[in-house]
């Protein structure tokens, strides 16, 4: 069994799916057609034979009613013709009582036993004048049996004609099954063919903007292939967005790196001719080179962080946002001594925890605090607060700077995006993008809004 399966599997794999589906559908319909024709043939043959037996039974009953006083011998012997009545004869159980005239129908030991009442009535087949015939042998009276026979060639001829007609119908059914199988395979696999063509086109052209045309229909009643095509279109849309974001990231990173790298090369070339520079010039060039190296290092590290979509699972643990916020605010006070940071923690949220990576969540909060400090005026306050609204933990960071312009609000979390007011400030434009990515990796929601009374308000919400 396994050997046959092993031999058939390569053959199936070498055939296209359309061919295999057409063969399967054709075979199924052909089997049904052949089975129906076979069953019809069996029924027709049985019905015609049963009708002949009924005629024999009726003829035997008539002979016994009309010849109650007759002795052994022939009663009627003209059944060689189709239109003639049945041949009939009476046979005694004792051969000594046979008439002098020979019997027309064959007499056997079973016939004598039926006449003696030791054997049940039975049907038999024999040849009469070169024609097939069927005979009924039945007990009559007083140790005799009656035999009745009719020609059966009409039945055999009818059976042969029915067999020929059913074979023709079965053959036509097989051909129709093949045509229907081919049509079903072409119609049923048309969406699959479109999916295959779309995939091959995308693989050849690397164009993820191609879409598969979906058939019009009421929503919620799509078939499996239509849903598959819709899912494929959704996947293509996600792929196109991913490719576009990747290209934009590469282009933006190239643009952002070009200026500091040019400055690095200029200062490096300047320091290479240090013997021509004064000591003050060398110090300025060295300081500028160090500052630019730090900026490039920070930018590259941020790009590496943004390249990660998910947090490493082995590092996830239960962390307390209250402790993380206190630590981040303390670090921000050291980095921004001119800014007045304040932190407030709701008593209901002080002991709550969320699953996350502490270092990554600390980086998120530091980015929000640094962004707020960068836009705050000297001595201006930056307010951080942890609250516990129903079903969540929420951290807000607010500054009292110029706020976010309406046209900049939808883009504050975009990579390398810098508002008009921030283009003169230090930074790479990746801090908020990184903060949102870390928030999404922790299943949290980070939003930005214009604070009442001026300034910007960032809201980080963890679901409980």
């Amino acid at each position: 069994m396994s050997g046959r399966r092993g031999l058939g599997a390569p053959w199936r794999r070498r055939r296209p799916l359309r061919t295999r589906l057409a063969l399967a559908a054709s075979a199924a319909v052909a089997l049904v057609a052949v089975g129906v024709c076979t069953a019809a043939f069996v029924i027709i043959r049985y019905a015609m034979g049963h009708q002949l037996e009924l005629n024999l039974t009726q003829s035997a009953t008539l002979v016994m009613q009309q010849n109650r006083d007759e002795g052994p011998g022939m009663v009627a012997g003209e059944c060689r013709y189709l239109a003639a009545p049945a041949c009939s004869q009476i046979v005694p159980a004792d051969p000594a009582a046979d008439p002098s005239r020979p019997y027309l129908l064959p007499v056997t030991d079973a016939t004598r036993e039926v006449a003696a009442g030791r054997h049940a009535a039975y049907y038999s087949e024999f040849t009469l004048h070169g024609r097939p015939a069927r005979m009924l042998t039945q007990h009559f009276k007083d140790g005799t049996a009656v035999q009745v026979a009719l020609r059966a060639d009409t039945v055999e001829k009818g059976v042969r004609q029915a067999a020929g007609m059913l074979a023709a119908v079965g053959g036509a059914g097989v051909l129709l099954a093949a045509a229907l199988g081919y049509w079903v395979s072409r119609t049923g696999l048309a969406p699959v063919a479109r999916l295959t063509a779309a995939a091959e086109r995308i693989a050849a052209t690397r164009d993820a903007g191609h879409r598969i045309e979906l058939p019009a229909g009421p929503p919620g009643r799509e078939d499996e292939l239509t849903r598959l095509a819709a899912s494929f279109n959704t996947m293509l849309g996600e792929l196109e967005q991913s490719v576009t974001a990747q290209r934009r990231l590469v282009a933006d990173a190239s643009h952002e790196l070009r200026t500091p790298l040019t400055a690095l090369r200029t200062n490096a070339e300047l320091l290479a001719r240090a013997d021509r520079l004064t000591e003050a010039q060398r110090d300025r060039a060295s300081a500028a080179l160090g500052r630019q190296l730090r900026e490039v290092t920070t930018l590259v590290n941020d790009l590496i962080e943004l390249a990660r979509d998910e947090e490493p699972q082995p590092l996830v643990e239960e962390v307390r946002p209250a402790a993380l916020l206190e630590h981040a605010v303390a670090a921000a006070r050291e980095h921004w001594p001119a800014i007045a940071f304040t932190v407030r923690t709701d008593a209901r949220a002080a002991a709550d925890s969320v699953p996350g990576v502490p270092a990554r969540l600390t980086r998120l909060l530091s980015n929000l605090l640094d962004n707020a400090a960068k836009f705050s005026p000297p001595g201006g306050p930056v307010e951080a607060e942890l609250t516990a609204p129903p079903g969540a933990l929420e951290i807000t960071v607010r500054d009292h700077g110029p706020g976010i312009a309406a046209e900049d609000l939808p883009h504050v979390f975009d990579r390398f995006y810098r508002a008009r007011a921030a283009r003169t400030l230090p930074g790479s434009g990746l801090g908020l993008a990184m903060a949102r990515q870390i928030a999404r990796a922790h299943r949290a929601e980070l939003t930005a809004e214009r604070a009442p009374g001026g300034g910007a308000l960032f809201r980080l919400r963890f679901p409980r």
Side-chain angles (χ1 to χ4, degrees):
M1 185 70 178
S2 61
R4 289 196 297 271
R5 187 181 295 114
L7 292 175
W11 182 89
R12 290 193 298 270
R13 286 195 296 267
R14 288 195 297 268
R15 296 297 182 272
L17 178 60
R18 178 178 297 175
T19 302
R20 284 181 281 167
L21 182 59
L23 290 176
S26 302
V29 178
L31 285 176
V32 172
V34 171
V36 170
C37 291
T38 303
F41 172 75
V42 172
I43 293 173
I44 290 174
R45 185 175 63 178
Y46 170 78
M48 297 183 72
H50 184 64
Q51 182 63 42
L52 180 61
E53 292 175 354
L54 288 177
N55 292 338
L56 287 172
T57 301
Q58 293 174 356
S59 298
T61 302
L62 183 62
V63 168
M64 289 187 293
Q65 290 176 352
Q66 294 178 350
N67 301 276
R68 292 184 180 275
D69 299 329
E70 293 289 334
M74 289 293 302
V75 177
E78 298 299 327
C79 60
R80 70 177 64 186
Y81 306 108
L82 290 175
C87 293
S88 57
Q89 63 187 22
I90 300 173
V91 180
D94 186 3
D98 287 343
S100 58
R101 185 179 177 182
Y103 292 114
L104 176 64
L105 305 178
V107 177
T108 63
D109 293 339
T111 306
R112 306 290 184 181
E113 291 184 1
V114 170
R118 296 190 298 270
H119 195 288
Y122 66 92
Y123 295 96
S124 59
E125 296 178 353
F126 68 101
T127 301
L128 178 65
H129 303 297
R131 303 287 185 178
R134 190 165 179 81
M135 181 175 63
L136 168 62
T137 302
Q138 185 175 337
H139 181 73
F140 184 25
K141 64 173 182 174
D142 299 331
T144 60
V146 63
Q147 290 181 302
V148 182
L150 283 173
R151 281 178 55 176
D153 51 337
T154 55
V155 174
E156 294 188 356
K157 182 179 179 180
V159 170
R160 287 195 300 270
Q161 290 177 346
M165 295 177 63
L166 290 174
V169 172
V174 171
L175 295 178
L176 180 62
L180 289 176
Y182 177 75
W183 177 78
V184 167
S185 67
R186 286 185 60 87
T187 304
L189 293 180
V192 178
R194 291 196 295 269
L195 284 173
T196 304
E200 291 175 347
R201 175 178 176 180
I202 293 170
T205 62
R206 297 180 179 270
D207 177 19
H210 183 68
R211 296 293 183 272
I212 299 173
E213 183 179 355
L214 300 178
R221 297 185 180 180
E222 301 87 353
D223 57 16
E224 290 79 1
L225 291 177
T226 302
R227 292 201 299 270
L228 175 61
S231 300
F232 192 75
N233 283 343
T234 303
M235 182 189 69
L236 289 177
E238 296 291 337
L239 178 62
E240 184 179 17
Q241 292 180 4
S242 176
V243 171
T244 302
Q246 184 182 31
R247 290 174 178 172
R248 188 189 310 119
L249 176 62
V250 172
D252 292 342
S254 301
H255 176 75
E256 293 293 331
L257 285 170
R258 184 179 295 113
T259 300
L261 288 178
T262 302
L264 279 174
R265 184 176 61 185
T266 301
N267 287 318
E269 292 175 351
L270 185 62
L271 288 175
R273 298 190 296 271
D275 55 338
R276 303 179 185 179
L277 301 177
T278 64
E279 184 176 354
Q281 290 174 335
R282 286 194 300 269
D283 292 340
R284 285 197 301 269
S286 298
L289 184 62
R291 184 175 61 257
Q292 290 153 3
L293 281 173
R294 288 192 298 271
E295 291 178 359
V296 171
T297 302
T298 302
L299 178 59
V300 171
N301 289 335
D302 289 346
L303 289 173
I304 294 174
E305 293 290 337
L306 284 172
R308 282 197 318 195
D309 289 335
E310 297 180 354
E311 302 302 332
Q313 290 301 320
L315 301 180
V316 175
E317 59 184 83
E318 289 293 326
V319 296
R320 291 175 53 235
L324 291 181
L325 184 59
E326 291 284 352
H327 176 73
V329 170
R333 285 171 179 155
E334 295 180 1
H335 188 66
W336 303 89
I339 302 299
F341 289 93
T342 61
V343 59
R344 191 180 73 84
T345 301
D346 191 336
R348 294 175 299 173
D352 289 343
S353 63
V354 295
V357 181
R360 300 285 289 161
L361 290 175
T362 301
R363 181 66 182 274
L364 186 159
L365 297 176
S366 298
N367 286 358
L368 294 181
L369 293 170
D370 288 344
N371 182 79
K374 184 167 57 176
F375 287 95
S376 294
V382 171
E383 302 164 2
E385 184 178 7
L386 174 63
T387 57
L393 284 177
E394 188 173 274
I395 297 176
T396 57
V397 176
R398 175 185 177 175
D399 62 62
H400 291 266
I404 306 173
E407 63 272 15
D408 295 328
L409 194 58
H411 307 288
V412 293
F413 295 107
D414 292 349
R415 296 169 179 172
F416 297 107
Y417 182 81
R418 305 185 71 180
R420 185 185 303 274
R423 292 173 185 172
T424 59
L425 299 176
S428 62
L430 296 177
L432 293 180
M434 187 184 305
R436 169 167 280 189
Q437 179 171 300
I438 297 173
R440 288 177 174 173
H442 288 80
R443 294 182 175 86
E445 182 183 7
L446 178 61
T447 57
E449 57 190 78
R450 304 177 69 178
L457 175 65
F458 289 86
R459 194 182 303 274
L460 177 63
R461 189 180 185 91
F462 293 94
R464 287 184 183 270

